[in-house]
Amino acid sequence: MAQRLPGLNPVKTLTTDRRRTPVARPPQKSVPFWQARTRSRNSSPLCLSAMASQSQDQKKHSSLDALITGGRKDEVSEAIKGSMSNCLAETNLHLTVPGLKSKTRGKVRDIYDGGDYLVLVTTDRQSAFDRILASIPFKGQVLNETSLWWFDRTKHITSNAVVASPDKNVTIAKKCSVFPVEFVVRGFVTGSTDTSLWTVYRKGIRNYCGNALPDGLLKNQRLPANILTPTTKAADHDVPVTPKEIVEGGLMTQDDYDEVSMKALKLFEYGQHVASEHGLILVDTKYEFGKAEDGSILLIDEVHTPDSSRYWIAQSYDERFQNGLEPENVDKEFLRLWFKDHCNPYEDEVLPEAPEELVAELAWRYIFLYETITKSTFEMPLTQEPVHDRISRNVALALSSL
């Protein structure tokens, strides 16, 4: 067995931030998002504390008012409804684009071998609990364009594999040897999946992925410091691992792990900074890395998307935490909770169909997050051309010019 070196992410002992911990609070209950607030009959089912009067400083920050109401939501909602039947659930570019070889189907992305490059198509498939839950209009485009925005703005931290983006749903990337480890970085004790920090913490686990956690932490509480909780793949689910297990198991070398873990923590810190400037909290996220032929470490897959990350509204977080309420979120957590309330998403062979209103709401939230972070207007396709036909045409043109 390899010896663990002192510099390999030693076990961290975290102390509870007493200033943020209330003396007593009622237990939190997960409820569907449309029941989150019932103070006013005239309130939107999503209407939360953003309805309170705001100071000039607060108006600079994002709130769910923009998420709930307004002309932009109405405009986007109409486009979402009109695209329910035109979601990109599956692609078969290897049958339509010359030069593409094998296809690998991931949870959300279809990956094609293009010889010198990989062609990554981000579909509208919605995954959670290690399975597909639904198809969300425009989701693939949102994720692809969000990642491209972050890839471009994190080059000062790490190089990435992006070569080109010939289509709204497509990224052409450099080939590399992918590390079989997902680098999950967390800033809060939260979550509902089996590997989430809150799930394992409430079971009494106090040493998780090499991080020593103190007693007394509450759900949705901010950690004293960001922590890294890596996972690796088993047959059909993610498995938490410690830094020592990663190195001794041969998943990564000591030097590669040290470099990648440093990059992951810096990426997360930068992401939190950018999110805070736009009234959001980046709660947790995951990164994937690979090694290029020249030995350089590359950031791959996606960055700070609403699929790989959890985002909360910053303005109301402290008050809601003190009152034992769930944070206002702009991610897929409410869809996860709906499935957990209506089935066993890990064991049931057949899952119920998600209500169309939830699907539409998630599509809007993804677009809202993209526009909030990038300060750009999300450009929806101008025609109802089948998405697969458009992608095939654009990918073929791009590959012919590379």
Side-chain angles (χ1 to χ4, degrees):
M1 301 288 282
Q3 294 297 315
R4 180 177 175 181
L5 301 182
L8 178 59
N9 192 18
V11 173
K12 302 174 183 177
T13 301
L14 304 179
T15 56
T16 305
D17 186 351
R18 299 297 179 185
R19 293 173 298 176
R20 292 187 178 273
T21 306
V23 175
R25 56 186 288 188
Q28 295 179 332
K29 181 180 179 181
S30 297
V31 297
F33 73 93
W34 55 81
Q35 297 174 0
R37 184 69 68 89
T38 56
R39 290 185 179 178
S40 171
R41 292 183 180 179
N42 296 324
S43 299
S44 162
L46 286 173
C47 192
L48 305 171
S49 62
M51 293 182 63
S53 59
Q54 296 176 313
S55 66
Q56 287 300 113
D57 181 63
Q58 286 176 322
K59 289 180 180 179
K60 297 178 182 178
H61 297 288
S62 171
S63 75
L64 282 187
D65 273 349
L67 185 60
I68 298 165
T69 61
R72 181 56 179 161
K73 181 174 183 179
D74 293 341
E75 175 188 354
V76 171
S77 296
E78 286 301 312
I80 290 171
K81 292 177 183 177
S83 297
M84 286 286 188
S85 62
N86 194 28
C87 288
L88 186 66
E90 197 71 45
T91 67
N92 290 290
L93 299 189
H94 57 304
L95 303 178
T96 59
V97 178
L100 289 186
K101 304 174 184 177
S102 61
K103 169 188 173 181
T104 301
R105 188 182 191 270
K107 293 177 185 176
V108 176
R109 288 168 183 79
D110 290 342
I111 305 171
Y112 296 90
D113 186 345
D116 294 333
Y117 305 101
L118 292 178
V119 176
L120 292 80
V121 183
T122 309
T123 71
D124 295 329
R125 297 192 294 264
Q126 182 64 55
S127 71
F129 309 107
D130 295 308
R131 58 195 303 182
I132 305 302
L133 305 181
S135 291
I136 311 297
F138 306 122
K139 177 197 164 178
Q141 179 182 342
V142 171
L143 264 58
N144 192 57
E145 294 185 345
T146 299
S147 286
L148 290 170
W149 190 88
W150 282 106
F151 276 130
D152 185 59
R153 285 159 180 78
T154 54
K155 292 178 181 177
H156 64 289
I157 298 174
T158 181
S159 300
N160 60 67
V162 175
V163 174
S165 178
D167 183 271
K168 298 176 184 296
N169 289 67
V170 178
T171 293
I172 297 178
K174 301 173 185 175
K175 285 186 173 181
C176 62
S177 177
V178 179
F179 295 117
V181 177
E182 290 188 350
F183 285 78
V184 182
V185 187
R186 307 178 188 275
F188 293 76
V189 185
T190 192
S192 59
T193 65
D194 284 354
T195 58
S196 72
L197 190 56
W198 173 245
T199 299
V200 299
Y201 186 84
R202 70 178 178 178
K203 292 179 179 178
I205 295 174
R206 293 296 180 267
N207 194 307
Y208 190 55
C209 299
N211 300 285
L213 303 170
D215 291 328
L217 294 178
L218 303 173
K219 187 182 182 186
N220 302 322
Q221 183 171 350
R222 188 189 303 270
L223 291 166
N226 296 329
I227 63 173
L228 192 61
T229 59
T231 63
T232 189
K233 291 290 181 186
D236 58 356
H237 62 282
D238 296 332
V239 179
V241 289
T242 66
K244 182 178 181 180
E245 290 169 337
I246 290 172
V247 176
E248 292 187 350
L251 300 179
M252 300 178 70
T253 67
Q254 176 77 60
D255 289 342
D256 286 343
Y257 176 83
D258 288 344
E259 180 177 350
V260 171
S261 60
M262 177 189 68
K263 289 178 183 293
L265 289 168
K266 286 185 176 180
L267 285 166
F268 188 67
E269 182 179 2
Y270 178 71
Q272 286 184 312
H273 172 72
V274 173
S276 69
E277 290 184 330
H278 298 86
L280 299 170
I281 297 172
L282 177 59
V283 179
D284 50 43
T285 194
K286 73 163 182 73
Y287 305 106
E288 294 188 48
F289 293 85
K291 179 175 279 191
E293 289 185 356
D294 63 2
S296 60
I297 301 294
L298 301 177
L299 179 64
I300 63 171
D301 197 48
E302 61 184 324
V303 191
H304 299 158
T305 70
D307 225 31
S308 65
S309 313
R310 200 185 313 268
Y311 285 92
W312 293 339
I313 299 295
Q315 178 183 317
S316 58
Y317 165 74
D318 284 331
E319 178 184 357
R320 294 182 68 82
F321 176 73
Q322 294 295 331
N323 291 327
L325 299 174
E326 287 292 314
E328 298 170 338
N329 67 78
V330 198
D331 50 49
K332 63 183 180 183
E333 182 66 9
F334 74 87
L335 189 64
R336 287 194 191 103
L337 295 176
W338 185 89
F339 275 95
K340 290 197 74 172
D341 287 343
H342 290 81
C343 65
N344 183 332
Y346 287 107
E347 298 181 5
D348 290 355
E349 184 176 345
V350 178
L351 298 181
E353 184 175 349
E356 188 172 295
E357 64 179 358
L358 265 70
V359 172
E361 177 63 32
L362 186 56
W364 160 240
R365 286 184 177 218
Y366 276 24
I367 292 172
F368 169 83
L369 186 61
Y370 169 82
E371 294 189 337
T372 300
I373 290 289
T374 69
K375 294 303 178 185
S376 302
T377 300
F378 181 74
E379 297 182 1
M380 287 163 285
L382 298 178
T383 69
Q384 282 295 310
E385 175 187 13
V387 182
H388 194 281
D389 292 351
R390 186 199 74 210
I391 291 174
S392 294
R393 184 180 66 253
N394 290 337
V395 169
L397 287 172
L399 291 178
S400 66
S401 62
L402 287 176

